[in-house]
Amino acid sequence: MKEKIKVAYIYHKNNIFLTGKHFDNTYYNFFINALERNKNLEFCKIPTNDVYDCSKLNGKFDAILLWENSPFGMPNELIGIKDVKIPIICKPGDPVRAKKSIELHEKWNISGYFHFFHEDFFHELYPEHFKFKTIIFGLETSLYENVKPFKERKKDKILLSGAIAKNGCASKLISYYRSRKWNAYKFYHLRNLCYELDVVDYTSTLNHEYVNDKYPGLLEKYAAVIAAASYTTAIKYWENAAAGCLTFMEITKKNRGRHIGFEDGTSAIFINERNYKEKFQEFIEDPNNPKWEKIANEGRQHALKNLNNDKAAKSLELYIKDFIK
């Protein structure tokens, strides 16, 4: 095999997640910045129009990387992709699109998938014979190097940020019938419950200045934050910890969150529907207890050392090698 793996990365030129100008730059920082930094990859970005002829890639690359296995952020047509004689690796898209994405598996000749999901979660959505590897990406270490010390942060409230379900019966009904499983009331069930508490400060996804790469600036204002997703963990879990926050993490059998490597009471505080109020109150009543800073520091070190983009890029490099004969 050649010293460097030549990888062609295909995505639509209008894919907002890969412009560096989206409110969430986590995907951009991994797919554009970190993969280009990997010295063992010769990474070639191919932003396309609606139609792209993949046959021109034969003999020039060792592998193809696709942004997603759905029309979202991808060209409408990939001519000749089924006849390309090199492995095709792909990030699965939003779980709500999985059923339709399965149809593209053979059409796009996909060899294997990767995401920060637990493998069991992936195979709940996709057939068991689809090859998959968990690679935890999204954390750009340089953005978290100089955060405010724990002792100088706000401690009378706990930060909750991100999407939540809209209140009101009409919104609930619309959301439910659009997707009975993948709606905000179910996917963010515990997050919605946390939102209702007086000890919680909520910041929405968009109505603030901390977008693009500025999210650490919001996190460092608070000593404690919440990361809650009821079906699977999300980038927010390791972002919150990397910012030096005491992170209350929804970790349950249902969301299989233990695979990201945090330990309850050592590097994070695990919460669920039964104990979240009690856990929050314990912090609010004794915010200056030194154990909180110790747990926050352990979580920060774990995230920065083990869950960063460069480590993820290395894991993807090795995964691609497995498919190259």
Side-chain angles (χ1 to χ4, degrees), residues 160-171:
L160 174 69
S161 64
I164 59 171
K166 294 181 180 179
N167 291 323
C169 293
S171 295

Side-chain angles (χ1 to χ4, degrees), residues 152-246:
E152 298 177 13
R153 303 182 185 199
K154 185 174 184 178
K155 295 185 177 70
D156 61 337
K157 293 281 187 175
I158 301 171
L159 175 67
L160 174 69
S161 64
I164 59 171
K166 294 181 180 179
N167 291 323
C169 293
S171 295
K172 288 182 180 180
L173 286 171
I174 292 170
S175 180
Y176 178 80
Y177 283 106
R178 279 179 177 172
S179 176
R180 295 189 179 188
K181 183 175 183 180
W182 306 111
N183 64 70
Y185 295 94
K186 291 188 174 182
F187 199 90
Y188 299 126
H189 179 62
L190 182 54
R191 191 184 297 182
N192 296 326
L193 295 176
C194 294
Y195 168 76
E196 298 173 357
L197 300 179
D198 290 337
V199 298
V200 171
D201 271 355
Y202 173 67
T203 301
S204 70
T205 303
L206 291 175
N207 295 328
H208 58 80
E209 63 183 283
Y210 301 102
V211 294
N212 307 118
D213 289 329
K214 299 177 183 177
Y215 185 51
L218 172 63
L219 295 175
E220 71 175 358
K221 292 178 180 292
Y222 290 81
V225 300
I226 299 164
S230 298
Y231 290 167
T232 182
T233 53
I235 293 174
K236 189 177 298 292
Y237 280 62
W238 38 101
E239 286 179 319
N240 290 356
C245 302
L246 173 69

Side-chain angles (χ1 to χ4, degrees), residues 73-84:
M74 288 289 292
N76 296 331
E77 187 176 359
L78 292 172
I79 297 171
I81 192 167
K82 196 165 185 179
D83 299 318
V84 171

Side-chain angles (χ1 to χ4, degrees), residues 38-223:
N38 186 302
K39 295 180 180 179
N40 296 322
L41 299 179
E42 189 173 316
F43 190 69
C44 179
K45 302 186 295 291
I46 303 180
T48 73
N49 292 307
D50 291 340
V51 178
Y52 182 75
D53 184 359
C54 296
S55 63
K56 66 181 74 174
L57 304 179
N58 259 327
K60 297 179 181 178
F61 292 92
D62 300 306
I64 293 173
L65 182 63
L66 302 181
W67 152 256
E68 187 168 303
N69 60 340
S70 86
F72 179 81
M74 288 289 292
N76 296 331
E77 187 176 359
L78 292 172
I79 297 171
I81 192 167
K82 196 165 185 179
D83 299 318
V84 171
K85 304 302 181 184
I86 54 179
I88 298 170
I89 312 301
C90 185
K91 173 185 70 67
D94 195 294
V96 74
R97 297 193 286 271
K99 189 173 182 179
K100 292 184 178 180
S101 293
I102 291 172
E103 300 172 6
L104 293 174
H105 178 76
E106 287 192 20
K107 185 177 180 180
W108 286 358
N109 196 26
I110 297 171
S111 307
Y113 300 84
F114 73 97
H115 211 295
F116 49 72
F117 303 147
H118 191 286
E119 184 174 356
D120 290 348
F121 179 76
F122 174 82
H123 282 123
E124 278 187 6
L125 304 171
Y126 294 93
E128 192 64 32
H129 67 276
F130 283 18
K131 295 180 179 179
F132 176 82
K133 181 175 183 177
T134 298
I135 297 177
I136 299 176
F137 61 84
L139 180 62
E140 192 71 356
T141 306
S142 62
L143 301 177
Y144 294 83
E145 289 177 345
N146 299 304
V147 293
K148 185 183 295 186
F150 187 86
K151 288 183 172 64
E152 298 177 13
R153 303 182 185 199
K154 185 174 184 178
K155 295 185 177 70
D156 61 337
K157 293 281 187 175
I158 301 171
L159 175 67
L160 174 69
S161 64
I164 59 171
K166 294 181 180 179
N167 291 323
C169 293
S171 295
K172 288 182 180 180
L173 286 171
I174 292 170
S175 180
Y176 178 80
Y177 283 106
R178 279 179 177 172
S179 176
R180 295 189 179 188
K181 183 175 183 180
W182 306 111
N183 64 70
Y185 295 94
K186 291 188 174 182
F187 199 90
Y188 299 126
H189 179 62
L190 182 54
R191 191 184 297 182
N192 296 326
L193 295 176
C194 294
Y195 168 76
E196 298 173 357
L197 300 179
D198 290 337
V199 298
V200 171
D201 271 355
Y202 173 67
T203 301
S204 70
T205 303
L206 291 175
N207 295 328
H208 58 80
E209 63 183 283
Y210 301 102
V211 294
N212 307 118
D213 289 329
K214 299 177 183 177
Y215 185 51
L218 172 63
L219 295 175
E220 71 175 358
K221 292 178 180 292
Y222 290 81

